[in-house]
Amino acid sequence: MKTILSWLTLVSMAVVISACSAVGANDGGAGESQIRAGKIEQISLTQMQTNHDSGVGAVLGGLGGLGIGSLIGRGTGRDVAMVAGALAGAVGGNYAEKKKYDQPVEAQQVIVRVRNGVLVSVTQPINPSLSKGMNVYIQGSGNEARVVPQG
């Protein structure tokens, strides 16, 4: 019992200490944000892979399989049917979710020459208001970067 209590104390202290770490400018906390401005050099159509790994299909499929498995047999056989139904339902639900929602979507790759002369490429959902030669802002960074018209 003492060993378990000491391990729990150690783990909780580690969690408390890690929660107190400083948040830097790159960690999504307070800090400077640079607004980049430039002119569109090129726009080309492409596709973006979506990221719908929410697990909702697996959970719903597992619950459905569990429900159906509970209708089969009695005693240990029923327990086995429930586990098998939950597993099969989870696999089937995950497959159905990926098949339906994890399809590539139409996107555009926008190449912007920022004011210091550097070219920046951003792949984003199609924004029909953008055109070649337009003055734009680049908002955000990394996968969250978006090109938006100035004004």
Side-chain angles (χ1 to χ4, degrees), residues 37-44 108-114 119-120 124 127 129-138 147-150:
K39 186 177 280 193
I40 295 178
E41 293 275 323
Q42 177 182 347
I43 298 176
S44 55
Q108 62 187 163
Q109 180 184 29
V110 183
I111 298 177
V112 177
R113 184 173 302 276
V114 292
L119 290 173
V120 177
Q124 66 183 26
N127 184 346
S129 65
L130 297 177
S131 61
K132 185 177 176 182
M134 177 181 276
N135 290 322
V136 293
Y137 292 121
I138 301 173
V147 178
V148 295
Q150 287 184 12

Side-chain angles (χ1 to χ4, degrees), residues 4-24:
I4 294 172
L5 187 58
S6 64
W7 275 105
L8 287 174
T9 304
L10 208 84
V11 170
S12 63
M13 291 303 288
V15 169
V16 168
I17 290 171
S18 66
C20 294
S21 66
V23 176

Side-chain angles (χ1 to χ4, degrees), residues 5-149:
L5 187 58
S6 64
W7 275 105
L8 287 174
T9 304
L10 208 84
V11 170
S12 63
M13 291 303 288
V15 169
V16 168
I17 290 171
S18 66
C20 294
S21 66
V23 176
N26 295 332
D27 294 334
E32 294 181 9
S33 176
Q34 178 184 7
I35 297 176
R36 297 173 287 173
K39 186 177 280 193
I40 295 178
E41 293 275 323
Q42 177 182 347
I43 298 176
S44 55
L45 294 177
T46 186
Q47 291 184 337
M48 280 188 337
Q49 190 66 32
T50 59
N51 188 12
H52 283 285
D53 293 332
S54 64
V56 173
V59 170
L60 292 177
L63 289 174
L66 182 70
I68 291 171
S70 70
L71 301 174
I72 298 171
R74 293 190 191 278
T76 307
R78 181 178 185 181
D79 294 342
V80 171
M82 288 171 62
V83 169
L87 290 175
V91 169
N94 189 43
Y95 177 77
E97 179 185 15
K98 285 188 178 291
K99 200 74 166 151
K100 172 114 172 111
Y101 294 107
D102 205 15
Q103 300 297 319
V105 294
E106 294 297 315
Q108 62 187 163
Q109 180 184 29
V110 183
I111 298 177
V112 177
R113 184 173 302 276
V114 292
R115 292 189 178 145
N116 65 2
V118 174
L119 290 173
V120 177
S121 173
V122 176
T123 303
Q124 66 183 26
I126 294 177
N127 184 346
S129 65
L130 297 177
S131 61
K132 185 177 176 182
M134 177 181 276
N135 290 322
V136 293
Y137 292 121
I138 301 173
Q139 296 178 339
S141 62
N143 290 337
E144 302 300 317
R146 296 292 176 253
V147 178
V148 295

